[in-house]
PDB file of all heavy atoms in Angstrom:
ATOM      1  N   ALA A   8     307.951 128.060 -48.538  1.00 98.00           N
ATOM      2  CA  ALA A   8     308.733 128.930 -49.415  1.00 98.00           C
ATOM      3  C   ALA A   8     310.203 128.526 -49.495  1.00 98.00           C
ATOM      4  O   ALA A   8     310.894 128.876 -50.452  1.00 98.00           O
ATOM      5  CB  ALA A   8     308.630 130.380 -48.942  1.00 98.00           C
ATOM      6  N   VAL A   9     310.688 127.789 -48.506  1.00 98.00           N
ATOM      7  CA  VAL A   9     312.113 127.456 -48.417  1.00 98.00           C
ATOM      8  C   VAL A   9     312.384 126.098 -49.056  1.00 98.00           C
ATOM      9  O   VAL A   9     311.805 125.092 -48.673  1.00 98.00           O
ATOM     10  CB  VAL A   9     312.575 127.469 -46.941  1.00 98.00           C
ATOM     11  CG1 VAL A   9     314.023 127.011 -46.816  1.00 98.00           C
ATOM     12  CG2 VAL A   9     312.384 128.864 -46.344  1.00 98.00           C
ATOM     13  N   THR A  10     313.297 126.099 -50.027  1.00 98.00           N
ATOM     14  CA  THR A  10     313.676 124.867 -50.714  1.00 98.00           C
ATOM     15  C   THR A  10     314.735 124.104 -49.927  1.00 98.00           C
ATOM     16  O   THR A  10     314.703 122.883 -49.859  1.00 98.00           O
ATOM     17  CB  THR A  10     314.204 125.190 -52.125  1.00 98.00           C
ATOM     18  OG1 THR A  10     313.229 125.998 -52.799  1.00 98.00           O
ATOM     19  CG2 THR A  10     314.471 123.935 -52.920  1.00 98.00           C
ATOM     20  N   ALA A  11     315.690 124.844 -49.340  1.00 98.00           N
ATOM     21  CA  ALA A  11     316.763 124.218 -48.570  1.00 98.00           C
ATOM     22  C   ALA A  11     317.359 125.234 -47.608  1.00 98.00           C
ATOM     23  O   ALA A  11     317.252 126.444 -47.822  1.00 98.00           O
ATOM     24  CB  ALA A  11     317.842 123.659 -49.495  1.00 98.00           C
ATOM     25  N   VAL A  12     318.024 124.703 -46.569  1.00 98.00           N
ATOM     26  CA  VAL A  12     318.681 125.518 -45.540  1.00 98.00           C
ATOM     27  C   VAL A  12     320.086 124.965 -45.340  1.00 98.00           C
ATOM     28  O   VAL A  12     320.279 123.749 -45.323  1.00 98.00           O
ATOM     29  CB  VAL A  12     317.920 125.454 -44.195  1.00 98.00           C
ATOM     30  CG1 VAL A  12     318.640 126.249 -43.117  1.00 98.00           C
ATOM     31  CG2 VAL A  12     316.488 125.913 -44.348  1.00 98.00           C
ATOM     32  N   CYS A  13     321.036 125.865 -45.171  1.00 98.00           N
ATOM     33  CA  CYS A  13     322.418 125.455 -44.923  1.00 98.00           C
ATOM     34  C   CYS A  13     323.013 126.348 -43.848  1.00 98.00           C
ATOM     35  O   CYS A  13     323.028 127.570 -43.992  1.00 98.00           O
ATOM     36  CB  CYS A  13     323.234 125.562 -46.218  1.00 98.00           C
ATOM     37  SG  CYS A  13     324.944 125.037 -46.049  1.00 98.00           S
ATOM     38  N   VAL A  14     323.494 125.746 -42.759  1.00 98.00           N
ATOM     39  CA  VAL A  14     324.112 126.499 -41.666  1.00 98.00           C
ATOM     40  C   VAL A  14     325.570 126.769 -42.021  1.00 98.00           C
ATOM     41  O   VAL A  14     326.281 125.878 -42.488  1.00 98.00           O
ATOM     42  CB  VAL A  14     324.032 125.707 -40.342  1.00 98.00           C
ATOM     43  CG1 VAL A  14     324.735 126.464 -39.215  1.00 98.00           C
ATOM     44  CG2 VAL A  14     322.582 125.400 -39.977  1.00 98.00           C
ATOM     45  N   PHE A  15     325.999 128.025 -41.783  1.00 98.00           N
ATOM     46  CA  PHE A  15     327.408 128.357 -42.007  1.00 98.00           C
ATOM     47  C   PHE A  15     327.977 129.028 -40.762  1.00 98.00           C
ATOM     48  O   PHE A  15     327.266 129.745 -40.059  1.00 98.00           O
ATOM     49  CB  PHE A  15     327.596 129.222 -43.264  1.00 98.00           C
ATOM     50  CG  PHE A  15     326.948 130.578 -43.208  1.00 98.00           C
ATOM     51  CD1 PHE A  15     327.653 131.692 -42.763  1.00 98.00           C
ATOM     52  CD2 PHE A  15     325.630 130.755 -43.607  1.00 98.00           C
ATOM     53  CE1 PHE A  15     327.063 132.939 -42.720  1.00 98.00           C
ATOM     54  CE2 PHE A  15     325.027 131.998 -43.565  1.00 98.00           C
ATOM     55  CZ  PHE A  15     325.742 133.101 -43.118  1.00 98.00           C
ATOM     56  N   PRO A  16     329.267 128.789 -40.453  1.00 98.00           N
ATOM     57  CA  PRO A  16     329.821 129.235 -39.176  1.00 98.00           C
ATOM     58  C   PRO A  16     330.369 130.657 -39.144  1.00 98.00           C
ATOM     59  O   PRO A  16     330.587 131.202 -38.061  1.00 98.00           O
ATOM     60  CB  PRO A  16     330.960 128.232 -38.930  1.00 98.00           C
ATOM     61  CG  PRO A  16     331.410 127.854 -40.297  1.00 98.00           C
ATOM     62  CD  PRO A  16     330.157 127.852 -41.142  1.00 98.00           C
ATOM     63  N   GLU A  17     330.594 131.270 -40.278  1.00 96.00           N
ATOM     64  CA  GLU A  17     331.214 132.585 -40.312  1.00 96.00           C
ATOM     65  C   GLU A  17     330.192 133.701 -40.065  1.00 96.00           C
ATOM     66  O   GLU A  17     329.001 133.512 -40.265  1.00 96.00           O
ATOM     67  CB  GLU A  17     331.892 132.828 -41.678  1.00 96.00           C
ATOM     68  CG  GLU A  17     333.007 131.868 -42.002  1.00 96.00           C
ATOM     69  CD  GLU A  17     332.528 130.560 -42.634  1.00 96.00           C
ATOM     70  OE1 GLU A  17     331.337 130.454 -43.013  1.00 96.00           O
ATOM     71  OE2 GLU A  17     333.350 129.645 -42.753  1.00 96.00           O
ATOM     72  N   ILE A  18     330.688 134.867 -39.673  1.00 94.00           N
ATOM     73  CA  ILE A  18     329.826 136.035 -39.509  1.00 94.00           C
ATOM     74  C   ILE A  18     329.337 136.500 -40.875  1.00 94.00           C
ATOM     75  O   ILE A  18     328.164 136.805 -41.056  1.00 94.00           O
ATOM     76  CB  ILE A  18     330.573 137.175 -38.787  1.00 94.00           C
ATOM     77  CG1 ILE A  18     330.861 136.781 -37.339  1.00 94.00           C
ATOM     78  CG2 ILE A  18     329.757 138.463 -38.832  1.00 94.00           C
ATOM     79  CD1 ILE A  18     331.717 137.778 -36.599  1.00 94.00           C
ATOM     80  N   ARG A  19     330.219 136.570 -41.823  1.00 94.00           N
ATOM     81  CA  ARG A  19     329.867 136.970 -43.193  1.00 94.00           C
ATOM     82  C   ARG A  19     329.524 135.735 -44.008  1.00 94.00           C
ATOM     83  O   ARG A  19     330.038 134.651 -43.778  1.00 94.00           O
ATOM     84  CB  ARG A  19     331.023 137.707 -43.855  1.00 94.00           C
ATOM     85  CG  ARG A  19     331.419 138.926 -43.098  1.00 94.00           C
ATOM     86  CD  ARG A  19     331.349 140.117 -43.938  1.00 94.00           C
ATOM     87  NE  ARG A  19     331.760 141.248 -43.118  1.00 94.00           N
ATOM     88  CZ  ARG A  19     331.644 142.467 -43.487  1.00 94.00           C
ATOM     89  NH1 ARG A  19     331.145 142.733 -44.660  1.00 94.00           N
ATOM     90  NH2 ARG A  19     332.030 143.438 -42.701  1.00 94.00           N
ATOM     91  N   ALA A  20     328.710 135.935 -45.007  1.00 96.00           N
ATOM     92  CA  ALA A  20     328.228 134.819 -45.830  1.00 96.00           C
ATOM     93  C   ALA A  20     329.138 134.513 -47.010  1.00 96.00           C
ATOM     94  O   ALA A  20     328.740 133.791 -47.927  1.00 96.00           O
ATOM     95  CB  ALA A  20     326.820 135.145 -46.330  1.00 96.00           C
ATOM     96  N   THR A  21     330.348 134.989 -47.008  1.00 96.00           N
ATOM     97  CA  THR A  21     331.239 134.892 -48.163  1.00 96.00           C
ATOM     98  C   THR A  21     331.436 133.458 -48.650  1.00 96.00           C
ATOM     99  O   THR A  21     331.217 133.157 -49.823  1.00 96.00           O
ATOM    100  CB  THR A  21     332.604 135.534 -47.827  1.00 96.00           C
ATOM    101  OG1 THR A  21     332.379 136.828 -47.269  1.00 96.00           O
ATOM    102  CG2 THR A  21     333.465 135.653 -49.059  1.00 96.00           C
ATOM    103  N   ARG A  22     331.870 132.575 -47.777  1.00 97.00           N
ATOM    104  CA  ARG A  22     332.113 131.175 -48.197  1.00 97.00           C
ATOM    105  C   ARG A  22     330.810 130.502 -48.600  1.00 97.00           C
ATOM    106  O   ARG A  22     330.749 129.783 -49.604  1.00 97.00           O
ATOM    107  CB  ARG A  22     332.800 130.388 -47.083  1.00 97.00           C
ATOM    108  CG  ARG A  22     333.101 128.931 -47.486  1.00 97.00           C
ATOM    109  CD  ARG A  22     334.052 128.259 -46.531  1.00 97.00           C
ATOM    110  NE  ARG A  22     333.490 128.090 -45.207  1.00 97.00           N
ATOM    111  CZ  ARG A  22     333.275 126.914 -44.624  1.00 97.00           C
ATOM    112  NH1 ARG A  22     333.595 125.782 -45.256  1.00 97.00           N
ATOM    113  NH2 ARG A  22     332.761 126.842 -43.422  1.00 97.00           N
ATOM    114  N   PHE A  23     329.753 130.723 -47.832  1.00 98.00           N
ATOM    115  CA  PHE A  23     328.442 130.168 -48.173  1.00 98.00           C
ATOM    116  C   PHE A  23     328.021 130.603 -49.577  1.00 98.00           C
ATOM    117  O   PHE A  23     327.590 129.779 -50.395  1.00 98.00           O
ATOM    118  CB  PHE A  23     327.416 130.599 -47.125  1.00 98.00           C
ATOM    119  CG  PHE A  23     325.994 130.391 -47.553  1.00 98.00           C
ATOM    120  CD1 PHE A  23     325.455 129.120 -47.641  1.00 98.00           C
ATOM    121  CD2 PHE A  23     325.199 131.474 -47.892  1.00 98.00           C
ATOM    122  CE1 PHE A  23     324.144 128.919 -48.061  1.00 98.00           C
ATOM    123  CE2 PHE A  23     323.885 131.293 -48.301  1.00 98.00           C
ATOM    124  CZ  PHE A  23     323.355 130.016 -48.391  1.00 98.00           C
ATOM    125  N   LEU A  24     328.159 131.877 -49.888  1.00 98.00           N
ATOM    126  CA  LEU A  24     327.781 132.375 -51.213  1.00 98.00           C
ATOM    127  C   LEU A  24     328.649 131.771 -52.322  1.00 98.00           C
ATOM    128  O   LEU A  24     328.157 131.483 -53.409  1.00 98.00           O
ATOM    129  CB  LEU A  24     327.860 133.904 -51.259  1.00 98.00           C
ATOM    130  CG  LEU A  24     326.783 134.641 -50.476  1.00 98.00           C
ATOM    131  CD1 LEU A  24     327.101 136.128 -50.412  1.00 98.00           C
ATOM    132  CD2 LEU A  24     325.412 134.402 -51.093  1.00 98.00           C
ATOM    133  N   SER A  25     329.934 131.562 -52.034  1.00 98.00           N
ATOM    134  CA  SER A  25     330.821 130.930 -53.020  1.00 98.00           C
ATOM    135  C   SER A  25     330.353 129.528 -53.372  1.00 98.00           C
ATOM    136  O   SER A  25     330.435 129.099 -54.528  1.00 98.00           O
ATOM    137  CB  SER A  25     332.255 130.850 -52.491  1.00 98.00           C
ATOM    138  OG  SER A  25     332.796 132.117 -52.323  1.00 98.00           O
ATOM    139  N   LEU A  26     329.857 128.808 -52.381  1.00 98.00           N
ATOM    140  CA  LEU A  26     329.363 127.451 -52.610  1.00 98.00           C
ATOM    141  C   LEU A  26     327.964 127.452 -53.232  1.00 98.00           C
ATOM    142  O   LEU A  26     327.645 126.606 -54.068  1.00 98.00           O
ATOM    143  CB  LEU A  26     329.339 126.671 -51.293  1.00 98.00           C
ATOM    144  CG  LEU A  26     330.692 126.418 -50.634  1.00 98.00           C
ATOM    145  CD1 LEU A  26     330.513 125.867 -49.230  1.00 98.00           C
ATOM    146  CD2 LEU A  26     331.545 125.501 -51.486  1.00 98.00           C
ATOM    147  N   ALA A  27     327.138 128.414 -52.835  1.00 98.00           N
ATOM    148  CA  ALA A  27     325.745 128.466 -53.312  1.00 98.00           C
ATOM    149  C   ALA A  27     325.635 129.000 -54.736  1.00 98.00           C
ATOM    150  O   ALA A  27     324.733 128.618 -55.476  1.00 98.00           O
ATOM    151  CB  ALA A  27     324.908 129.331 -52.374  1.00 98.00           C
ATOM    152  N   GLN A  28     326.524 129.898 -55.124  1.00 98.00           N
ATOM    153  CA  GLN A  28     326.524 130.492 -56.463  1.00 98.00           C
ATOM    154  C   GLN A  28     325.122 130.961 -56.881  1.00 98.00           C
ATOM    155  O   GLN A  28     324.538 130.471 -57.847  1.00 98.00           O
ATOM    156  CB  GLN A  28     327.088 129.502 -57.481  1.00 98.00           C
ATOM    157  CG  GLN A  28     328.486 129.056 -57.165  1.00 98.00           C
ATOM    158  CD  GLN A  28     329.013 128.015 -58.128  1.00 98.00           C
ATOM    159  OE1 GLN A  28     328.392 127.708 -59.149  1.00 98.00           O
ATOM    160  NE2 GLN A  28     330.153 127.458 -57.822  1.00 98.00           N
ATOM    161  N   PRO A  29     324.581 131.938 -56.173  1.00 98.00           N
ATOM    162  CA  PRO A  29     323.203 132.356 -56.438  1.00 98.00           C
ATOM    163  C   PRO A  29     323.019 133.025 -57.793  1.00 98.00           C
ATOM    164  O   PRO A  29     323.898 133.751 -58.255  1.00 98.00           O
ATOM    165  CB  PRO A  29     322.918 133.358 -55.317  1.00 98.00           C
ATOM    166  CG  PRO A  29     324.256 133.866 -54.914  1.00 98.00           C
ATOM    167  CD  PRO A  29     325.213 132.724 -55.113  1.00 98.00           C
ATOM    168  N   ASP A  30     321.876 132.764 -58.389  1.00 98.00           N
ATOM    169  CA  ASP A  30     321.468 133.539 -59.560  1.00 98.00           C
ATOM    170  C   ASP A  30     320.939 134.881 -59.079  1.00 98.00           C
ATOM    171  O   ASP A  30     321.110 135.907 -59.742  1.00 98.00           O
ATOM    172  CB  ASP A  30     320.379 132.795 -60.344  1.00 98.00           C
ATOM    173  CG  ASP A  30     320.894 131.487 -60.911  1.00 98.00           C
ATOM    174  OD1 ASP A  30     321.922 131.512 -61.621  1.00 98.00           O
ATOM    175  OD2 ASP A  30     320.282 130.438 -60.629  1.00 98.00           O
ATOM    176  N   ILE A  31     320.272 134.845 -57.929  1.00 98.00           N
ATOM    177  CA  ILE A  31     319.719 136.049 -57.317  1.00 98.00           C
ATOM    178  C   ILE A  31     320.031 135.997 -55.824  1.00 98.00           C
ATOM    179  O   ILE A  31     319.703 135.016 -55.155  1.00 98.00           O
ATOM    180  CB  ILE A  31     318.189 136.129 -57.533  1.00 98.00           C
ATOM    181  CG1 ILE A  31     317.867 136.098 -59.024  1.00 98.00           C
ATOM    182  CG2 ILE A  31     317.617 137.387 -56.869  1.00 98.00           C
ATOM    183  CD1 ILE A  31     316.415 135.796 -59.331  1.00 98.00           C
ATOM    184  N   TYR A  32     320.672 137.033 -55.325  1.00 98.00           N
ATOM    185  CA  TYR A  32     320.987 137.144 -53.902  1.00 98.00           C
ATOM    186  C   TYR A  32     320.058 138.195 -53.324  1.00 98.00           C
ATOM    187  O   TYR A  32     320.063 139.350 -53.751  1.00 98.00           O
ATOM    188  CB  TYR A  32     322.447 137.552 -53.719  1.00 98.00           C
ATOM    189  CG  TYR A  32     322.925 137.663 -52.296  1.00 98.00           C
ATOM    190  CD1 TYR A  32     322.553 136.745 -51.318  1.00 98.00           C
ATOM    191  CD2 TYR A  32     323.788 138.686 -51.925  1.00 98.00           C
ATOM    192  CE1 TYR A  32     323.017 136.846 -50.021  1.00 98.00           C
ATOM    193  CE2 TYR A  32     324.268 138.796 -50.623  1.00 98.00           C
ATOM    194  CZ  TYR A  32     323.881 137.871 -49.675  1.00 98.00           C
ATOM    195  OH  TYR A  32     324.343 137.966 -48.386  1.00 98.00           O
ATOM    196  N   VAL A  33     319.221 137.793 -52.379  1.00 97.00           N
ATOM    197  CA  VAL A  33     318.220 138.677 -51.809  1.00 97.00           C
ATOM    198  C   VAL A  33     318.622 139.042 -50.381  1.00 97.00           C
ATOM    199  O   VAL A  33     318.995 138.182 -49.588  1.00 97.00           O
ATOM    200  CB  VAL A  33     316.828 137.997 -51.806  1.00 97.00           C
ATOM    201  CG1 VAL A  33     315.814 138.859 -51.067  1.00 97.00           C
ATOM    202  CG2 VAL A  33     316.360 137.727 -53.219  1.00 97.00           C
ATOM    203  N   LYS A  34     318.543 140.335 -50.107  1.00 94.00           N
ATOM    204  CA  LYS A  34     318.765 140.825 -48.748  1.00 94.00           C
ATOM    205  C   LYS A  34     317.601 141.721 -48.379  1.00 94.00           C
ATOM    206  O   LYS A  34     316.990 142.359 -49.230  1.00 94.00           O
ATOM    207  CB  LYS A  34     320.076 141.626 -48.656  1.00 94.00           C
ATOM    208  CG  LYS A  34     321.328 140.771 -48.816  1.00 94.00           C
ATOM    209  CD  LYS A  34     321.480 139.703 -47.757  1.00 94.00           C
ATOM    210  CE  LYS A  34     321.845 140.273 -46.414  1.00 94.00           C
ATOM    211  NZ  LYS A  34     322.054 139.243 -45.383  1.00 94.00           N
ATOM    212  N   GLY A  35     317.305 141.763 -47.103  1.00 87.00           N
ATOM    213  CA  GLY A  35     316.220 142.598 -46.626  1.00 87.00           C
ATOM    214  C   GLY A  35     316.751 143.809 -45.910  1.00 87.00           C
ATOM    215  O   GLY A  35     317.929 143.893 -45.585  1.00 87.00           O
ATOM    216  N   GLY A  36     315.878 144.746 -45.684  1.00 77.00           N
ATOM    217  CA  GLY A  36     316.257 145.897 -44.887  1.00 77.00           C
ATOM    218  C   GLY A  36     316.250 147.188 -45.654  1.00 77.00           C
ATOM    219  O   GLY A  36     315.792 147.266 -46.785  1.00 77.00           O
ATOM    220  N   ASP A  37     316.824 148.169 -45.008  1.00 71.00           N
ATOM    221  CA  ASP A  37     316.865 149.488 -45.611  1.00 71.00           C
ATOM    222  C   ASP A  37     318.247 149.787 -46.187  1.00 71.00           C
ATOM    223  O   ASP A  37     318.648 150.931 -46.318  1.00 71.00           O
ATOM    224  CB  ASP A  37     316.458 150.543 -44.586  1.00 71.00           C
ATOM    225  CG  ASP A  37     317.263 150.442 -43.301  1.00 71.00           C
ATOM    226  OD1 ASP A  37     318.166 149.587 -43.218  1.00 71.00           O
ATOM    227  OD2 ASP A  37     316.979 151.218 -42.377  1.00 71.00           O
ATOM    228  N   LEU A  38     318.971 148.744 -46.516  1.00 77.00           N
ATOM    229  CA  LEU A  38     320.289 148.897 -47.127  1.00 77.00           C
ATOM    230  C   LEU A  38     320.158 149.055 -48.630  1.00 77.00           C
ATOM    231  O   LEU A  38     319.200 148.594 -49.243  1.00 77.00           O
ATOM    232  CB  LEU A  38     321.151 147.656 -46.870  1.00 77.00           C
ATOM    233  CG  LEU A  38     321.471 147.278 -45.433  1.00 77.00           C
ATOM    234  CD1 LEU A  38     322.203 145.943 -45.408  1.00 77.00           C
ATOM    235  CD2 LEU A  38     322.322 148.352 -44.801  1.00 77.00           C
ATOM    236  N   SER A  39     321.166 149.648 -49.224  1.00 84.00           N
ATOM    237  CA  SER A  39     321.275 149.637 -50.680  1.00 84.00           C
ATOM    238  C   SER A  39     322.286 148.545 -51.039  1.00 84.00           C
ATOM    239  O   SER A  39     323.020 148.054 -50.176  1.00 84.00           O
ATOM    240  CB  SER A  39     321.764 150.991 -51.198  1.00 84.00           C
ATOM    241  OG  SER A  39     323.113 151.198 -50.809  1.00 84.00           O
TER     242      SER A  39
END
């Protein structure tokens, strides 16, 4: 199912997301 993996050093995914520029950002859990 996984096309690629990228390790990022920060606690938050902010910089990773800036570089990835997702069309769809998926998160799991019971969060809104």
